[in-house]
C-alpha cells in the first residue's frame, strides 16, 4: 500500500489513498499550492533571461580550536571565501552541502551561534539558501537538528527545514526539497532541489556514540510518497528537472574513481575513497553492507531528470562521473572552508550550476570557481557527459578564466588525511580528548 502525504502548514500527515474519499484528492489537484512547503517565503524563480544559477558551499568547518588564534583565523578566511564566491558568481541560490561546523572540536556552550556567523554572508547579500548536514555536524557538541533549528531562527533567507517526524532516523532530520519556478505565477515548479541527510558522526552529549553512516531506509519510502504527491498535483516527473545534495557520497561512488578518465571527467582527484569516505563503510561487521541501497534505488528510480547527486566530505575531490549501470551522474563539491583537513594546492572555492529554461530537463552547466576568481572543470552535464571529452568552454568569474584542471595525484597520504579529517580524528589543530576517544572507537584501537 503506497502512502501519500497530505501537506499542510502544520506538517505532513501520511494517508492511505485507499482509505481517503476521492474528493480530497480531487480538491488537492485543484489546489496545487498545498504542496508548497514555504507559504510564507518568496518563491524561488528563474531570472528574466531564462537562467537559474546555484552555487555550492561545502565543508566550511566553522568552530575549530576556539581556545586559540588558529581556529578563529580559519573561520575568518572561510568568510572571505564565501563573500568572494557570492561576489564572483552572483548566484540566485546557494546550497551548503554539509560540515558547517566541526562539532567534535568546538565548545558545546556556544556551538549553535556559529550558525549565526556562517550564514551572515548570505543574509547580508540577501541570497536564498538551504543546508544539508554532514558527519561533523553530528557530534559531541552539536547535532543536525540543533543546526536546523538555529538556522530557522536567525537566517531569514534560509529555506532549510526538517523532515517529518519518523523520517531520516536518529541524527538524520535534514531531508526535504525546495521548489524552483520558471515564473512566479506558474502552477508547478520546473526544478526540484533535494536535500538528503547521510547522518554519520556521533550522538551529542555525554555518552556520545556512533551514528549510522548512511541515508536511513525511511527516507526511501518518504521520497516515494513525495514523488507520488508531486505527480498527483503537478503532473509527470518528466516535466521537471532535479538536483540532489547529500554530504557523504553514496557507496557506489567509490567504484567510479579507479577507472576515472580525467579528460572526460575533469577536476581535482586527489582523495582516495575508502573507509569512512562513502556511505555504509564503517563497522560493516555490525551494520552490514550496502545499507544506503534502498535510498539509492528509490532516488534513481523515482526522481526523473536528476542532473547530479552532489556530495562533499572528501576535500580533495571535485570531479563528476557517471555510474555505468543506472547512468546516474555523481559530482563532488569544491572544499570551501579553511577548516577541516587540507593539502597545499587543493585551494578553496565553490561549485556552481547554471540552468537554462530552453533545456533545463536535459542539461546543466557546472564549473569550479577558485579564490582568485578563476574557474576550472567547466563541463555540461547531459546525456553525453563522460562519453566525450569536454570542449574547451571557459566560464568566466571576476574576469578571469581557466579551463584547465589540476593533474590527478591521488596518494596514500591523501587518503589517510581524508579519513582522519572526515571522521574528526585530527582536525589539524589541537586534538580534543573526546575526539581521540572516538577515533579509537571507530578504528577499533
Amino acid at each position: 500500500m503506497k502512502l501519500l502525504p497530505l501537506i499542510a502548514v502544520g506538517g505532513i500527515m501520511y494517508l492511505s489513498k485507499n482509505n481517503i474519499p476521492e474528493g480530497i484528492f480531487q480538491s488537492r489537484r485543484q489546489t496545487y499550492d498545498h504542496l508548497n512547503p514555504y507559504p510564507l517565503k518568496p518563491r524561488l524563480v528563474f531570472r528574466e533571461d531564462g537562467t537559474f544559477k546555484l552555487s555550492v558551499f561545502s565543508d566550511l568547518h566553522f568552530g575549530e580550536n576556539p581556545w586559540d588564534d588558529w581556529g578563529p583565523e580559519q573561520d575568518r578566511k572561510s568568510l572571505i571565501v564565501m563573500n568572494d564566491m557570492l561576489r564572483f558568481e552572483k548566484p540566485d541560490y546557494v546550497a551548503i552541502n554539509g560540515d558547517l561546523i566541526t562539532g567534535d572540536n568546538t565548545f558545546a556552550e556556544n556551538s549553535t551561534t556559529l550558525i549565526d556567523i556562517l550564514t551572515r554572508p548570505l543574509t547580508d547579500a540577501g541570497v536564498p539558501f538551504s543546508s544539508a548536514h554532514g558527519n561533523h555536524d553530528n557530534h559531541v557538541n552539536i547535532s543536525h537538528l540543533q543546526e536546523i533549528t538555529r538556522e530557522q531562527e536567525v537566517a531569514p533567507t534560509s529555506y532549510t527545514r526538517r523532515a517529518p517526524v519518523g523520517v531520516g532516523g536518529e541524527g538524520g532530520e535534514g531531508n526535504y526539497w525546495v521548489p524552483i519556478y520558471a515564473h512566479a505565477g506558474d502552477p508547478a515548479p520546473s526544478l526540484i532541489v533535494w536535500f538528503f541527510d547521510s547522518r554519520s558522526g556521533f550522538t551529542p552529549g555525554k555518552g556520545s556514540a556512533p551514528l549510522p553512516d548512511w541515508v536511513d531506509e525511511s527516507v526511501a519510502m518518504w521520497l516515494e510518497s513525495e514523488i507520488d504527491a508531486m505527480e498527483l498535483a503537478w503532473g509527470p516527473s518528466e516535466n521537471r528537472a532535479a538536483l540532489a545534495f547529500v554530504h557523504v557520497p553514496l557507496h557506489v561512488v567509490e567504484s567510479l574513481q579507479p577507472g576515472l578518465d580525467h579528460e572526460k571527467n575533469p577536476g581535482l582527484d586527489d582523495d582516495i575513497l575508502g573507509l569512512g569516505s562513502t556511505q555504509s563503510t564503517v563497522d560493516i561487521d555490525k551494520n552490514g553492507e550496502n545499507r544506503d541501497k534502498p535510498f539509492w534505488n528509490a532516488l534513481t528510480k523515482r526522481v526523473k531528470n536528476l542532473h547530479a547527486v552532489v556530495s562533499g566530505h572528501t576535500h580533495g575531490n571535485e570531479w563528476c562521473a557517471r555510474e555505468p549501470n543506472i547512468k546516474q551522474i555523481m559530482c563532488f563539491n569544491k572544499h570551501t572552508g579553511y577548516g577541516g583537513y587540507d593539502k597545499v594546492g587543493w585551494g578553496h572555492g565553490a561549485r556552481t550550476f547554471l540552468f537554462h529554461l530552453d533545456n533545463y530537463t536535459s542539461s546543466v552547466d557546472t564549473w569550479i570557481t577558485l579564490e582568485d576568481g578563476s574557474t576550472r572543470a567547466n563541463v555540461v552535464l547531459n546525456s553525453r557527459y563522460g562519453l566525450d571529452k569536454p570542449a574547451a568552454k571557459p566560464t568566466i568569474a571576476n574576469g578571469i578564466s581557466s579551463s584547465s584542471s589540476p593533474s590527478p595525484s591521488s596518494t596514500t597520504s591523501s587518503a589517510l588525511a581524508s579519513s582522519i579529517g572526515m571522521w574528526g580524528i585530527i582536525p589539524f589543530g589541537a586534538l580534543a580528548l573526546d575526539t581521540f576517544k572516538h577515533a579509537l572507537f571507530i578504528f577499533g584501537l
Side-chain angles (χ1 to χ4, degrees), residues 120-174:
R120 180 60 61 84
L122 295 153
T123 299
D124 288 348
V127 176
F129 72 98
S130 302
S131 300
H133 298 86
N135 50 302
H136 284 281
D137 298 308
N138 267 336
H139 236 289
V140 61
N141 296 320
I142 198 69
S143 71
H144 290 187
L145 187 55
Q146 287 174 314
E147 290 190 17
I148 293 168
T149 301
R150 184 66 179 183
E151 190 176 305
Q152 291 175 330
E153 292 172 349
V154 303
T157 64
S158 170
Y159 283 69
T160 301
R161 55 194 175 99
R162 65 166 298 176
V165 174
V167 174
E170 184 181 13
E173 294 85 1

Side-chain angles (χ1 to χ4, degrees), residues 2 8 47 78 85 90 198 217 241 258 288 311 333 340 393 417 436:
K2 285 188 176 181
R47 300 177 185 182
S78 297
M85 294 302 111
K90 297 178 175 56
S198 50
E217 291 86 345
S311 298
N333 306 311
K393 185 183 178 182
F436 183 65

Side-chain angles (χ1 to χ4, degrees), residues 32-157:
Y32 57 82
D33 207 44
H34 281 185
L35 281 185
N36 180 9
Y38 305 100
L40 302 181
K41 285 185 174 290
R43 280 189 169 190
L44 303 179
V45 298
F46 278 64
R47 300 177 185 182
E48 289 186 4
D49 67 359
T51 64
F52 186 84
K53 183 184 279 190
L54 185 160
S55 292
V56 189
F57 296 163
S58 184
D59 294 273
L60 297 169
H61 286 280
F62 272 73
E64 293 183 349
N65 291 30
W67 51 82
D68 61 24
D69 294 336
W70 181 88
E73 176 63 10
Q74 307 316 300
D75 292 351
R76 185 188 71 82
K77 291 179 179 177
S78 297
L79 289 171
I80 291 173
V81 176
M82 295 171 72
N83 279 305
D84 283 346
M85 294 302 111
L86 293 173
R87 179 165 55 90
F88 293 159
E89 294 296 353
K90 297 178 175 56
D92 302 299
Y93 178 65
V94 165
I96 305 179
N97 202 6
D99 281 356
L100 287 70
I101 295 171
T102 302
D104 45 318
N105 193 218
T106 192
F107 294 140
E109 301 80 53
N110 62 351
S111 58
T112 57
T113 61
L114 292 166
I115 295 294
D116 308 33
I117 298 170
L118 69 89
T119 60
R120 180 60 61 84
L122 295 153
T123 299
D124 288 348
V127 176
F129 72 98
S130 302
S131 300
H133 298 86
N135 50 302
H136 284 281
D137 298 308
N138 267 336
H139 236 289
V140 61
N141 296 320
I142 198 69
S143 71
H144 290 187
L145 187 55
Q146 287 174 314
E147 290 190 17
I148 293 168
T149 301
R150 184 66 179 183
E151 190 176 305
Q152 291 175 330
E153 292 172 349
V154 303
T157 64

Side-chain angles (χ1 to χ4, degrees), residues 265-347:
N265 307 96
L268 183 68
D269 178 23
D270 203 16
D271 232 341
I272 296 175
L273 302 176
L275 174 65
S277 58
T278 61
Q279 292 184 35
S280 191
T281 57
V282 175
D283 204 2
I284 59 174
D285 289 339
K286 174 185 175 183
N287 297 324
E289 297 182 274
N290 299 315
R291 297 297 301 273
D292 60 339
K293 201 164 185 179
F295 166 67
W296 166 249
N297 289 341
L299 179 70
T300 54
K301 177 183 176 183
R302 295 302 310 275
V303 180
K304 306 301 182 184
N305 303 322
L306 179 58
H307 288 298
V309 181
V310 190
S311 298
H313 196 51
T314 61
H315 300 179
N317 289 328
E318 58 185 45
W319 43 269
C320 296
R322 188 185 301 275
E323 192 278 331
N325 297 315
I326 299 177
K327 311 300 183 186
Q328 178 59 55
I329 295 174
M330 321 292 284
C331 287
F332 283 98
N333 306 311
K334 178 63 191 168
H335 183 200
T336 305
Y338 267 79
Y341 73 98
D342 211 341
K343 183 179 175 182
V344 175
W346 283 358

